[in-house]
Amino acid sequence: MTKLYRIFTNAELTARVQTSSTCHIFKSEGKQTKMPSNKSVSDAPITRFINGTILREHTLQREDLWVRDGSILNPEKLFYDEQGFADELVNCEGTIIAPGFIDTQINGGFGVDFSQLSENVPENVSLVAKKILEHGVTSFCPTLVSSPPVVYHQVLPQIKVQEGGPDGAGVLGVHLEGPFISAQKKGAHPEHCLRTFSSRPTEDLMEVYGDLGNVAIVTLAPEMDNSQSAVKELCRRGVTVSLGHSAANLSQAEEAVRGGASFITHLFNAMLPFHHRDPGIVGLLTTDQVPPPRTVYYGMIADGIHTNPAALRIAHRAHPSGLVLVTDAITAMGLPPGQHMLGQQIIEIKGLHAYVAGTTTLCGSIATMDMCVRHFWQATGCKAEEALEAASLHPAQLLGIARKGRLDYGADADLIVLDDKLNVKSTYISGEEVWRKPEQR
C-alpha cells in the first residue's frame, strides 16, 4: 500500500515545534536564545535550518533544511513515520544555503605545495584543508603537477581519501596533472619531467606513478602515441581522465572521449586555440560525437586573469551543464607577493598574477574558490544558481559522487551559508559547523 504524505508549510512546521513542552538551543547569527521543541524520537539530534533560501533542483527556493547523522532529511517522512521534530534550530536570517564547493584542481596554498617532497605531507594537506573551509570548500582534489617518479612514489601513498570535518575539507582523491602531456603546451610544467607513452602504456603509468589507489583524476594529452590505451586503462581503474596541456585536434579529443575521457583541464589554457576548421579540444563543448548519455565536463579558472570574461561567456553559453569552476591555486594562495615554489619551478607573484620566475608564463592562480564563483557570476551574468552549481553539483557529477554537490534528501549535509553577494558566512560538513566568519566590531 502506498503511503501518502502531506506537505507542511513552514508556518505549520514552526507551529508544531512551538507547541511542544521541551526547550532546545535556537542558533542565530551572533546570538543564542531558547526555542521550544519536542525531543526527537531518534537518538541522533536533528538540526533544522530555517529562514533561508535553499539551492535545490537548480533553483533557489524558500524552504527549511533538515539534517541528521550528517545527511539531509525528508521532513515529511520524519513527521509521518517517526513523529519527530528538530532538536536544534539554526536561523539563517534570509541568507542562501548552498552545497559546499568542490575544488578538483588545487596545487596547494598557504605556503604548501602538494608536488614537493616532504616528510609532512599529511600535515600539509591538512593545513590547506583547514584553510579552505573559510572559502566554502568542503571537498577537494590535491593536485600534483608534472614531477619526477620519486615524487609520486613518495607523496601519493601519503594523501589518503578521507571525509571532511572540523579539521578540514574532505579529500576526494589526487589529481595528477601530467607528466604525460605535450611539451608544446607544457605551460609552467618543467620539460625535463615530461613523459611519453611506450607500447606498454599501463606499465608506463605504474612506473611513473607507482600506485593509483588514491588517484581521482589524471590529466594527459590525447594526441600522444598510445595515449588512447592509457585512457581506457585509467577509466577501467575508476580514474577520471582529463584532457589538457595538449595540442590535440578535435578528432583526437573525440577518440579519447569515446575511450572514456570525461573532463577538460582548464579550458582555453595550455591547448590549441579555437579555429573554425578544427576547434581542437575546445570543440568538445559542442561535438555530436560524445556517446549518450555521457557529458564532457570542463574546468574553468575564473580568476579574472586566466580567462577573459568574453571567453567565460562563450563557454558557459555553449555548454552550461558541463562547466566546473576550479581554482588551480598554487602555494602562494594566501601569501604575500614574492618568489615561491611550484613543483620543480620557482614562481613569482606580482599582484594577482603568478608567473614562472623570469617569464610571462602564467603558472596557476592565487584566487580562492569563493572569489572564482563571484567573478564567474558577475562576468557571465548567469544566475546565482548556475554559479554555485558550477562549483558544487558539476564537480560532484564529474567524479560520479551522487551524495555530494546537492541538497537532495539523503545527500551529505556539506553546505555553506552565503549572503546575497555570494560571500561565505559559514561552512558546514556533515551538518556540523566547521567555520564561521568572525563578527566585525
Side-chain angles (χ1 to χ4, degrees):
M1 179 178 178
T2 302
K3 184 175 290 186
L4 299 178
Y5 297 100
R6 181 170 73 85
I7 298 177
F8 286 91
T9 65
N10 285 338
E12 289 177 308
L13 297 181
T14 301
R16 295 192 70 177
V17 171
Q18 290 176 337
T19 55
S20 174
S21 58
T22 352
C23 284
H24 295 275
I25 295 297
F26 177 90
K27 288 186 178 180
S28 186
E29 293 293 329
K31 60 184 179 181
Q32 288 187 348
T33 57
K34 294 288 185 178
M35 188 71 180
S37 173
N38 73 310
K39 187 181 188 306
S40 168
V41 298
S42 170
D43 291 336
I46 296 174
T47 302
R48 176 183 171 194
F49 294 80
I50 64 173
N51 297 330
T53 303
I54 298 176
L55 176 56
R56 178 177 285 160
E57 297 179 348
H58 316 298
T59 304
L60 286 170
Q61 45 195 289
R62 193 75 175 185
E63 189 176 336
D64 291 353
L65 188 74
W66 299 71
V67 174
R68 179 173 63 192
D69 277 338
S71 298
I72 296 172
L73 285 176
N74 181 340
E76 297 177 33
K77 292 185 177 181
L78 172 67
F79 301 140
Y80 277 103
D81 293 352
E82 303 181 25
Q83 291 77 51
F85 305 112
D87 297 285
E88 184 177 79
L89 299 182
V90 177
N91 184 5
C92 297
E93 299 182 337
T95 53
I96 295 170
I97 307 173
F101 297 147
I102 300 172
D103 195 349
T104 60
Q105 186 177 2
I106 171 172
N107 306 288
F110 313 100
V112 170
D113 177 5
F114 297 136
S115 300
Q116 283 290 316
L117 285 175
S118 169
E119 296 179 355
N120 303 310
V121 171
E123 291 85 351
N124 290 340
V125 172
S126 295
L127 172 63
V128 175
K130 183 73 172 180
K131 292 283 190 179
I132 58 181
L133 292 175
E134 66 184 87
H135 302 292
V137 178
T138 53
S139 299
F140 70 114
C141 294
T143 303
L144 274 65
V145 297
S146 297
S147 303
V150 64
V151 172
Y152 299 115
H153 294 184
Q154 293 189 26
V155 172
L156 287 181
Q158 300 186 67
I159 304 180
K160 305 294 186 182
V161 175
Q162 59 187 22
E163 293 294 327
D167 293 330
V171 176
L172 300 177
V174 180
H175 180 167
L176 300 177
E177 187 185 1
F180 298 99
I181 59 174
S182 166
Q184 180 185 346
K185 294 295 180 181
K186 68 182 187 300
H189 291 236
E191 189 162 359
H192 72 273
C193 291
L194 304 189
R195 297 288 292 260
T196 57
F197 290 112
S198 70
S199 59
R200 298 179 176 179
T202 299
E203 294 181 10
D204 297 332
L205 291 170
M206 302 314 297
E207 177 189 342
V208 171
Y209 297 138
D211 183 18
L212 294 171
N214 299 323
V215 175
I217 304 172
V218 169
T219 292
L220 55 76
E223 74 275 16
M224 299 176 67
D225 289 343
N226 300 311
S227 64
Q228 301 301 331
S229 295
V231 169
K232 293 175 182 177
E233 176 62 21
L234 288 166
C235 292
R236 187 186 69 80
R237 293 170 178 257
V239 176
T240 296
V241 175
S242 185
L243 310 181
H245 287 277
S246 166
N249 59 38
L250 178 57
S251 64
Q252 291 167 328
E254 289 172 335
E255 183 181 359
V257 170
R258 286 191 290 268
S262 57
F263 194 37
I264 302 171
T265 296
H266 44 53
L267 186 75
F268 298 125
N269 291 277
M271 62 185 60
L272 291 179
F274 178 89
H275 190 280
H276 61 284
R277 292 195 182 93
D278 190 337
I281 290 178
V282 177
L284 289 176
L285 271 63
T286 57
T287 182
D288 59 0
Q289 298 300 307
V290 176
R294 186 180 302 163
T295 296
V296 174
Y297 295 90
Y298 59 98
M300 296 291 289
I301 310 172
D303 61 353
I305 295 168
H306 279 77
T307 311
N308 185 278
L312 285 175
R313 290 190 288 272
I314 288 171
H316 176 251
R317 292 171 189 176
H319 185 22
S321 63
L323 195 149
V324 174
L325 290 176
V326 300
T327 61
D328 197 20
I330 59 174
T331 181
M333 178 178 67
L335 297 181
Q339 290 194 343
H340 307 276
M341 291 297 297
L342 174 61
Q344 310 300 306
Q345 298 269 45
I346 299 175
I347 57 129
E348 189 169 8
I349 303 303
K350 297 180 179 179
L352 297 177
H353 295 70
Y355 301 107
V356 174
T359 76
T360 57
T361 300
L362 290 171
C363 59
S365 166
I366 58 174
T368 57
M369 182 58 83
D370 54 328
M371 290 171 59
C372 291
V373 170
R374 289 191 296 272
H375 177 72
F376 175 71
W377 180 40
Q378 295 161 2
T380 62
C382 70
K383 295 189 296 184
E385 294 95 323
E386 294 178 288
L388 293 168
E389 288 188 338
S392 55
L393 176 64
H394 297 175
Q397 291 174 329
L398 162 69
L399 296 173
I401 306 175
R403 59 189 174 85
K404 293 190 182 293
R406 63 191 75 206
L407 299 181
D408 297 341
Y409 303 140
D412 289 352
D414 295 351
L415 55 99
I416 52 178
V417 178
L418 311 103
D419 63 21
D420 58 1
K421 302 296 184 184
L422 303 190
N423 297 298
V424 180
K425 296 174 68 68
S426 55
T427 302
Y428 291 76
I429 293 180
S430 297
E432 298 293 328
E433 185 179 270
V434 293
W435 180 81
R436 172 177 288 266
K437 183 177 181 179
E439 292 188 23
Q440 295 183 347
R441 297 183 178 179

